[in-house]
Amino acid sequence: MKKTVLFFAIIALIGTEVAGQKYFTRSGHIWFYSEAPMENIEAHNYQSSSILDTETGELGFTLLIKGFEFEKALMQEHFNEKYFHSDKIPKSTFEGKILNLSDIDFKNPGVYNAKVSGTINIHGIAKEVETMGTFEVKDDGKIHSNSKFQVALADHDVKIPDMLKDNIAKIVDVNVEIIYEKLDK
Amino acid sequence: MFFKWLLSIVLIFVSGSYLYSQSILDLLDEEERTDYTIATFKTTRLINGHSIETNAGGVLLFLIQHRFGRLNGGAYEFFGLDNSTTRLALEYGITDNLDIGIGRSTFEKTMDGFLKYKLLRQSTGKKNMPLTLTLFTGIAVKTLRWQQPNRTNYFSSKLYYTFQVLAARKISTNFSIQLSPTLIHRNLVAVKEDKNDVFAVGIGGRYKLSGSFSINAEYFYVFPNQIVSEINGEKVHNSLSVGVDIETGGHVFQLHLTNSRGMIEKFFVTETTGSWANGDIHFGFNISRVFTIVDKTKKKLEEEKEKRENG
């Protein structure tokens, strides 16, 4: 009995000291593409933050709507002022988990396919999503991650006026390109 | 005894780690950023006067302005529509904060040019700035032929200079106000008592009723005892204008009523002869269209791609 308790005591105390393996970036590249009869629109955000816990498979993203850069400055202004109301809802986030964590060996260099599910919050409205992506573990210890999924603007209460229905797609392609580095804490 | 104590410690530790579950997003600690205010006004003009807005770098703005005759001209003059004066102009954003512009008014065949520099930007967050400040300097040349060609006429008599320090604050998403202290220098004035340097202050604002529609108002107060002479037998009044902004895609339509006939500072600040009380009101409009001449995002996309491939 005494030995068992001592054994568990040691395990418990050690357990609380070992931090999860966390990977991090502040310069994640997230961009979207809208294809419509009158014009195609794309915008790039080079400053999204993301964190990956390779131990638990938890994944988080956050970005500023104002961080999206458009070719046309006026379009960027309308995107913020009229459609996404970024002064009231400045951020968009994703919080989720890798479902097939056991298929991925983050310690061994290689390319791994992942299935991720979680909650995406755009324009203040949250939605459950599931998507595929890849994690490429590099020799230098960094993890490159890519994913692609679709967002229906109406799902997040983004209203497009009738006049512009041929300029802005109802469903937009979102691409994610991240290079994670180990977080030293 | 010792082991009972140890057991309780273990249980506390183990239960403790289940008690607080944090969102992984909480670990993304916030780096303080500066949030710059955008879209204080819909375009670079409030009504007659310039707003603090400048064009984005690489963007060209084409502006057509019309002011019609006086409404009290009556039905015969079709309430002023028979008698219109026009200005055409181009404004270009050299950078996000520096604009250069050129224009020509049919009124007295006047050419004008200006530079506009955004010195301060309203922001919150890491850098806190309560207002946006834009400096404006313009020159106008009256290109009408001399009325008395046999007199000794000086080219400098045709020149007018404007200096403004435009200061505005976006108070809420829908409401912005601006103060426009102005100095107009006229090389030639009608009588000795008229001042060559005229000081005035403009005050104006806009209230947005929807994403695409706002109501605007503007008033320029000229300090007393600077303009004594009359123009065509009429006293000079302060310029007062009210109007609406309608924005659609790349155009901004500004429709308004004003007592000023001219569309550049030297006209509407120092030469407004209409009086609202008399019905000397002109209907007018500004239409602006923006074109992106230089696409800055392509270069950035390539730079970021390179960084990614090398990193």
Side-chain angles (χ1 to χ4, degrees):
Chain A
M1 174 58 189
K2 286 179 192 179
K3 280 213 182 107
T4 327
V5 174
L6 192 57
F7 174 73
F8 278 110
I10 293 167
I11 296 291
L13 291 171
I14 291 171
T16 56
E17 305 234 315
V18 173
Q21 285 291 71
K22 294 193 179 66
Y23 289 77
F24 177 72
T25 181
R26 270 203 208 285
S27 51
H29 181 200
I30 295 183
W31 57 283
F32 68 79
Y33 181 68
S34 148
E35 193 169 328
M38 289 287 286
E39 66 181 316
N40 297 331
I41 300 170
E42 69 180 64
H44 295 254
N45 187 321
Y46 301 104
Q47 294 177 309
S48 82
S49 295
S50 179
I51 189 155
L52 164 66
D53 187 333
T54 55
E55 208 117 312
T56 61
E58 283 175 284
L59 198 52
F61 288 83
T62 175
L63 57 72
L64 282 174
I65 297 294
K66 276 194 175 169
F68 278 103
E69 296 177 13
F70 290 73
E71 177 192 334
K72 295 185 191 167
L74 194 60
M75 198 181 276
Q76 189 167 330
E77 189 181 294
H78 290 167
F79 176 77
N80 281 282
E81 274 281 296
K82 285 190 192 178
Y83 301 115
F84 279 79
H85 309 104
S86 57
D87 52 347
K88 299 221 161 66
I89 310 161
K91 292 198 209 149
S92 188
T93 61
F94 172 81
E95 210 180 315
K97 260 180 114 90
I98 302 171
L99 296 174
N100 59 332
L101 187 59
S102 50
D103 295 342
I104 307 171
D105 184 358
F106 284 109
K107 295 199 174 53
N108 262 328
V111 181
Y112 304 93
N113 290 323
K115 196 169 185 186
V116 173
S117 103
T119 311
I120 193 166
N121 193 315
I122 299 177
H123 195 221
I125 298 189
K127 199 169 180 274
E128 297 301 309
V129 289
E130 205 174 275
T131 182
M132 301 293 297
T134 60
F135 286 98
E136 186 179 348
V137 181
K138 295 276 197 182
D139 296 322
D140 57 8
K142 295 195 189 155
I143 301 175
H144 289 221
S145 173
N146 285 281
S147 178
K148 190 171 168 156
F149 57 93
Q150 295 191 315
V151 170
L153 296 177
D155 284 351
H156 298 275
D157 207 24
V158 175
K159 296 189 171 70
I160 307 297
D162 279 336
M163 197 169 49
L164 293 173
K165 64 175 166 56
D166 288 335
N167 294 68
I168 301 173
K170 291 202 166 73
I171 297 179
V172 156
D173 292 325
V174 179
N175 294 269
V176 175
E177 254 177 27
I178 310 284
I179 298 178
Y180 289 100
E181 287 189 36
K182 188 111 87 80
L183 183 65
D184 295 312
K185 251 206 182 139
Chain B
M1 189 51 220
F2 171 70
F3 284 105
K4 270 204 194 132
W5 170 86
L6 190 57
L7 185 61
S8 16
I9 298 287
V10 168
L11 286 171
I12 290 167
F13 264 101
V14 168
S15 55
S17 61
Y18 283 111
L19 268 179
Y20 86 123
S21 67
Q22 55 182 12
S23 155
I24 193 159
L25 292 177
D26 295 338
L27 298 172
L28 286 168
D29 56 5
E30 287 312 308
E31 193 181 55
E32 240 214 321
R33 286 186 229 244
T34 304
D35 188 18
Y36 289 104
T37 304
I38 56 163
T40 306
F41 298 101
K42 287 198 177 294
T43 183
T44 58
R45 294 280 180 149
L46 182 53
I47 298 182
N48 284 317
H50 276 265
S51 72
I52 46 87
E53 298 290 356
T54 56
N55 294 301
V59 167
L60 180 69
L61 183 145
F62 175 50
L63 180 62
I64 298 180
Q65 297 176 277
H66 265 75
R67 299 289 182 269
F68 296 100
R70 292 177 178 179
L71 289 177
N72 60 9
Y76 185 69
E77 297 293 339
F78 203 48
F79 304 102
L81 252 59
D82 282 357
N83 191 4
S84 105
T85 173
T86 307
R87 177 175 179 265
L88 298 173
L90 287 171
E91 301 180 4
Y92 181 70
I94 298 171
T95 71
D96 284 347
N97 300 321
L98 179 63
D99 266 8
I100 186 167
I102 187 165
R104 189 186 178 284
S105 305
T106 58
F107 196 63
E108 299 188 343
K109 301 189 190 293
T110 307
M111 291 237 34
D112 68 88
F114 67 83
L115 284 173
K116 209 167 155 182
Y117 180 62
K118 199 183 286 176
L119 187 62
L120 298 171
R121 293 170 68 187
Q122 185 178 342
S123 66
T124 55
K126 193 160 167 209
K127 266 198 242 167
N128 247 310
M129 177 57 64
L131 41 78
T132 302
L133 199 77
T134 301
L135 305 176
F136 176 89
T137 176
I139 182 169
V141 186
K142 192 193 298 201
T143 66
L144 273 178
R145 297 208 178 101
W146 295 116
Q147 280 189 314
Q148 295 165 295
N150 296 321
R151 232 182 116 224
T152 316
N153 295 304
Y154 300 100
F155 177 70
S156 59
S157 305
K158 297 186 171 187
L159 298 174
Y160 299 80
Y161 302 93
T162 302
F163 304 96
Q164 292 185 305
V165 177
L166 310 170
R169 181 170 168 80
K170 189 178 194 183
I171 295 174
S172 73
T173 309
N174 296 329
F175 184 50
S176 304
I177 67 168
Q178 178 173 312
L179 218 57
S180 315
T182 306
L183 164 61
I184 312 262
H185 176 85
R186 301 98 63 78
N187 281 339
L188 180 69
V189 292
V191 302
K192 208 169 34 143
E193 289 76 13
D194 283 335
K195 298 273 186 281
N196 293 81
D197 290 317
V198 174
F199 291 89
V201 68
I203 179 159
R206 75 96 195 253
Y207 187 73
K208 238 173 37 169
L209 292 173
S210 82
S212 318
F213 188 85
S214 75
I215 29 177
N216 300 9
E218 187 180 66
Y219 178 66
F220 275 88
Y221 172 72
V222 177
F223 292 102
N225 302 321
Q226 296 183 101
I227 305 172
V228 167
S229 62
E230 298 188 342
I231 300 174
N232 294 330
E234 288 180 312
K235 269 180 27 182
V236 169
H237 290 95
N238 291 328
S239 173
L240 173 64
S241 320
V242 290
V244 296
D245 276 5
I246 303 169
E247 179 176 46
T248 69
H251 290 89
V252 178
F253 297 89
Q254 299 183 289
L255 312 172
H256 40 255
L257 294 168
T258 174
N259 60 339
S260 301
R261 196 98 201 287
M263 291 162 271
I264 58 173
E265 290 64 32
K266 85 115 173 139
F267 286 130
F268 63 79
V269 177
T270 62
E271 294 173 26
T272 294
T273 51
S275 148
W276 275 79
N278 282 347
D280 301 328
I281 303 166
H282 305 263
F283 170 65
F285 62 80
N286 303 338
I287 302 179
S288 66
R289 187 28 163 138
V290 286
F291 301 93
T292 304
I293 307 289
V294 177
D295 179 8
K296 304 221 161 128
T297 57
K298 270 209 186 92
K299 194 168 150 216
K300 178 136 189 207
L301 192 59
E302 280 162 21
E303 278 173 13
E304 288 285 331
K305 216 176 179 180
E306 256 189 66
K307 256 200 249 170
R308 217 157 282 276
E309 275 151 25
N310 300 335

